[in-house]
Amino acid sequence: MFRTYLALVALGVIWGSNFIFMKWATDLISPTQTVFLRVFFGFVPLLLVATKAKVITRQQLKHLPHFAIMSVLATTFYYYGFVAGTARLPTSIAGLLSGSIPIFTFICAFLFLRQDRPTWQMGAGVLLGFIGIAVSARPWEGVAGAELAGILWMLAGTFSLGVSFVYAQRFLSPLKIPPLALATWQTGFATLTLLVLTPFDGISAIANDQRALLGAILGLGILGTGGAFFIYYFVIEKLGPVRAAGATYIAPVVAVLIGAIVGEDITGTVILALCMILGGVVLIQTGKRKIPLAAHSKQQTTDASAQIK
């Protein structure tokens, strides 16, 4: 059990450290090029493990349209939003905004699935989370570094991921395809898309900075994408989706701590915004209506897909 909780902490650290790697990379190359490196080097280990595990089958080919749509919602656009946002923001602000993912997931599920009526506690959580987002942006102060464009890109990426959870629940969950196969198809399609869309002129500039190069390949790609999938599904299997969601609380805290280490100004306002966003997430996740025991197992499966970052 100790190893499982250690993996949970490691997952939160991996997710939280992604923002500094994005910042280093985008200082040298474009956001699109950064996303390409992340997806490609995340796809390679996924493909190798999926091939060895023999989870990719010919029967899955009929679901290619679903895989393609998920690749846009949960990989290509989602990653681009986060990279473009992080390029314009301090890593601490970008990281704490990533903590709003469960808030947008809840909003998208309510808008498009209409399965459960929200409780007053869940509504309060959404409100508190959005106040935290506003506090982190501080538009009334014109804070240097907290560009509105960066905030909007982060929120666009978060919303795209929220929509992807709804799409996955409606169209992919009934197919009972192994998670490793889904992750491999998703990142594979994203790699092909980015091969077409990415202008590669100047991408070699990242090779001039070993720190940025290793951060993009190892930090964002191999660990931050490929490795994160492996660890997450291991934790899900051992702890279940509810406790595995604890990693989503660790990541923003790690991002803020890393921001402090690299010299960013971590003010009381930043800490307040972080507490508000995470507090909103807690209210939403603990404010769900009670469900019958018979439906609990099915609900847990749904919740698992809604926690992947």
Side-chain angles (χ1 to χ4, degrees):
M1 187 60 70
F2 173 76
R3 188 176 70 168
T4 303
Y5 280 104
L6 189 63
L8 178 69
V9 173
L11 182 60
V13 172
I14 289 172
W15 281 342
S17 62
N18 282 341
F19 297 95
I20 191 64
F21 299 141
M22 295 180 204
K23 177 67 77 175
W24 290 344
T26 52
D27 284 342
L28 298 168
I29 59 178
S30 72
T32 307
Q33 292 169 343
T34 301
V35 174
F36 171 77
L37 292 177
R38 174 175 188 173
V39 173
F40 177 75
F41 286 102
F43 168 63
V44 171
L46 283 171
L47 179 62
L48 292 175
V49 175
T51 301
K52 184 176 181 180
K54 298 181 180 180
V55 296
I56 304 294
T57 66
R58 187 173 300 176
Q59 289 73 23
Q60 294 166 3
L61 292 174
K62 61 185 177 182
H63 305 302
L64 291 184
H66 291 315
F67 301 149
I69 292 172
M70 280 295 295
S71 76
V72 174
L73 293 175
T75 304
T76 307
F77 187 78
Y78 157 54
Y79 283 165
Y80 183 84
F82 271 31
V83 172
T86 303
R88 294 169 170 84
L89 297 169
T91 57
S92 56
I93 300 297
L96 73 86
L97 286 173
S98 75
S100 65
I101 286 176
I103 297 174
F104 280 89
T105 299
F106 164 73
I107 293 172
C108 292
F110 171 69
L111 291 176
F112 301 117
L113 293 180
R114 301 279 185 176
Q115 288 185 340
D116 298 310
R117 289 184 297 122
T119 65
W120 68 266
Q121 181 178 324
M122 297 169 81
V126 171
L127 178 61
L128 183 61
F130 274 106
I131 293 175
I133 291 171
V135 170
S136 69
R138 291 168 287 171
W140 55 86
E141 295 181 8
V143 178
E147 294 184 22
L148 179 60
I151 300 290
L152 292 178
W153 271 118
M154 288 295 302
L155 297 182
T158 302
F159 183 76
S160 179
L161 190 63
V163 173
S164 78
F165 294 148
V166 174
Y167 188 91
Q169 180 177 342
R170 177 170 292 182
F171 297 107
L172 291 178
S173 294
L175 303 179
K176 306 301 181 184
I177 297 173
L180 178 58
L182 289 173
T184 304
W185 281 112
Q186 182 175 308
T187 54
F189 266 103
T191 300
L192 292 176
T193 301
L194 289 164
L195 277 172
V196 175
L197 297 179
T198 304
F200 290 99
D201 292 343
I203 194 172
S204 60
I206 197 171
N208 298 325
D209 187 329
Q210 187 176 20
R211 180 188 68 174
L213 181 63
L214 290 176
I217 294 176
L218 182 61
L220 288 178
I222 296 174
L223 286 178
T225 302
F229 272 114
F230 301 146
I231 297 174
Y232 183 74
Y233 288 125
F234 168 76
V235 174
I236 283 287
E237 180 183 353
K238 299 296 183 180
L239 297 179
V242 175
R243 281 188 287 177
T248 65
Y249 301 99
I250 297 171
V253 176
V254 170
V256 170
L257 290 176
I258 291 176
I261 292 172
V262 299
E264 294 179 1
D265 187 17
I266 309 300
T267 65
T269 305
V270 172
I271 301 301
L272 176 62
L274 177 64
C275 292
M276 284 182 171
I277 291 173
L278 293 184
V281 172
V282 171
L283 287 174
I284 289 172
Q285 293 189 339
T286 60
K288 295 180 180 180
R289 297 179 186 276
K290 300 296 183 180
I291 58 177
L293 184 61
H296 183 64
S297 177
K298 180 178 180 181
Q299 182 66 42
Q300 279 200 326
T301 301
T302 297
D303 289 343
S305 65
Q307 298 297 334
I308 302 173
K309 260 190 176 175

